[in-house]
Amino acid sequence: MTGRPEYCVIACAEAWRDNGEVLASPMGLIPSFGARLAKRTFAPDLLLTDGEAMLVGLDGTVEGWLPYRRHLTMVTGGRRHVMMGAAQIDRFGNQNISCIGAWERPTRQLLGVRGAPVNTLNNPVSYWIPRHSPRVFVERVDMVSGVGHDRAQAAGVTRYHRLPRVVSDLGVFDFTGPGRTMRLVSLHPGVDVEQVRAATGFALVVEGEVPYTREPTAEELRLLREVIDPAGLREREVRG
């Protein structure tokens, strides 16, 4: 039987489908498992890194050198697809990982904007959110870290701006709603539309009958359970 964490891995893996030879930069367990699963199956051209200075194979074998200057070239040239997290995200894809509350006196300090502005303006950025709730999917983010469609449009910086998908523990979303707003693409099995709406702090675009996230193949399940994550760490990030 396929569990919710495995549907989440599959949904994250699908973010890199048809990307070709790009650097996959997954942040978090589930996105990392998704990137490795994609490379082992339908996206063999994906490049993986050790997170420091090397390109590595699926077994960790060093395949190339990736110094910082080359990494930045890939970022600004769009040859990288990041999957980041979000403490808050709104209907246009503006993301906050910096602080909760007013910037002048936040109630909680988070990571800071980090590389989110540069990421979102220069290469594809998707998002992974393991706890879908109205506190994360908000009407307006407290501070913009990653740039959403409305702000990119207003600033005239849309040439390389692309937000392919958002994956949460409830479903998959894109930004093809009116005005490039968030739309429900698929539900993970066991979830219904009203559950997603109740967990979202803004009016989510829902069109027609929403399909379920695709089933993993037998080979994908074998790879995930026996090769990529035999310790079952995916269960720690998503409730089964």
Side-chain angles (χ1 to χ4, degrees):
M1 182 177 178
T2 305
R4 180 79 59 84
E6 291 160 335
Y7 286 112
C8 291
V9 172
I10 285 293
C12 287
E14 285 288 339
W16 285 283
R17 185 179 286 276
D18 300 325
N19 276 199
E21 191 179 45
V22 303
L23 180 65
S25 294
M27 301 179 186
L29 281 175
I30 296 288
S32 294
F33 296 154
R36 281 184 265 172
L37 183 62
K39 184 172 177 61
R40 286 182 180 273
T41 53
F42 54 78
D45 294 332
L46 277 184
L47 302 176
L48 302 178
T49 176
D50 65 355
E52 295 185 3
M54 300 294 179
L55 292 171
V56 297
L58 289 165
D59 60 356
T61 302
V62 175
E63 295 184 339
W65 186 39
L66 189 67
Y68 199 58
R69 62 181 179 274
R70 185 179 172 197
H71 188 272
L72 288 178
T73 300
M74 297 182 79
V75 170
T76 57
R79 303 301 297 168
R80 177 176 180 244
H81 185 167
V82 182
M83 182 167 279
M84 300 176 64
Q88 293 177 326
I89 190 167
D90 69 17
R91 73 183 72 213
F92 295 103
N94 294 294
Q95 169 246 31
N96 175 24
I97 53 172
S98 184
C99 64
I100 302 299
W103 180 83
E104 299 84 357
R105 195 176 181 83
T107 57
R108 182 173 296 179
Q109 183 66 51
L110 305 175
L111 293 173
V113 297
R114 309 288 288 186
V118 174
N119 287 342
T120 49
L121 295 181
N122 287 283
N123 53 245
V125 176
S126 293
Y127 292 107
W128 159 242
I129 299 171
R131 297 287 184 271
H132 192 131
S133 79
R135 296 176 63 183
V136 180
F137 288 75
V138 296
E139 183 66 40
R140 182 181 178 88
V141 298
D142 292 341
M143 180 174 179
V144 176
S145 302
V147 180
H149 288 290
D150 58 338
R151 290 176 178 269
Q153 182 70 39
V157 288
T158 59
R159 184 177 181 184
Y160 300 112
H161 181 263
R162 182 167 169 248
L163 307 177
R165 67 170 47 196
V166 176
V167 180
S168 81
D169 60 331
L170 298 184
V172 180
F173 310 82
D174 65 15
F175 295 95
T176 60
R180 305 302 300 276
T181 53
M182 192 181 294
R183 178 182 71 104
L184 178 59
V185 174
S186 73
L187 298 162
H188 301 325
V191 178
D192 61 39
V193 172
E194 291 311 310
Q195 184 178 350
V196 175
R197 280 182 166 144
T200 304
F202 52 82
L204 183 67
V205 177
V206 179
E207 299 174 341
E209 187 173 345
V210 181
Y212 286 119
T213 303
R214 78 166 177 88
E215 292 287 334
T217 66
E219 177 62 8
E220 286 172 332
L221 279 179
R222 185 193 70 81
L223 287 169
L224 179 57
R225 294 171 177 177
E226 299 178 13
V227 179
I228 297 172
D229 182 30
L233 298 178
R234 59 193 178 277
E235 301 282 348
R236 296 183 182 180
E237 200 162 45
V238 176
R239 298 184 183 92

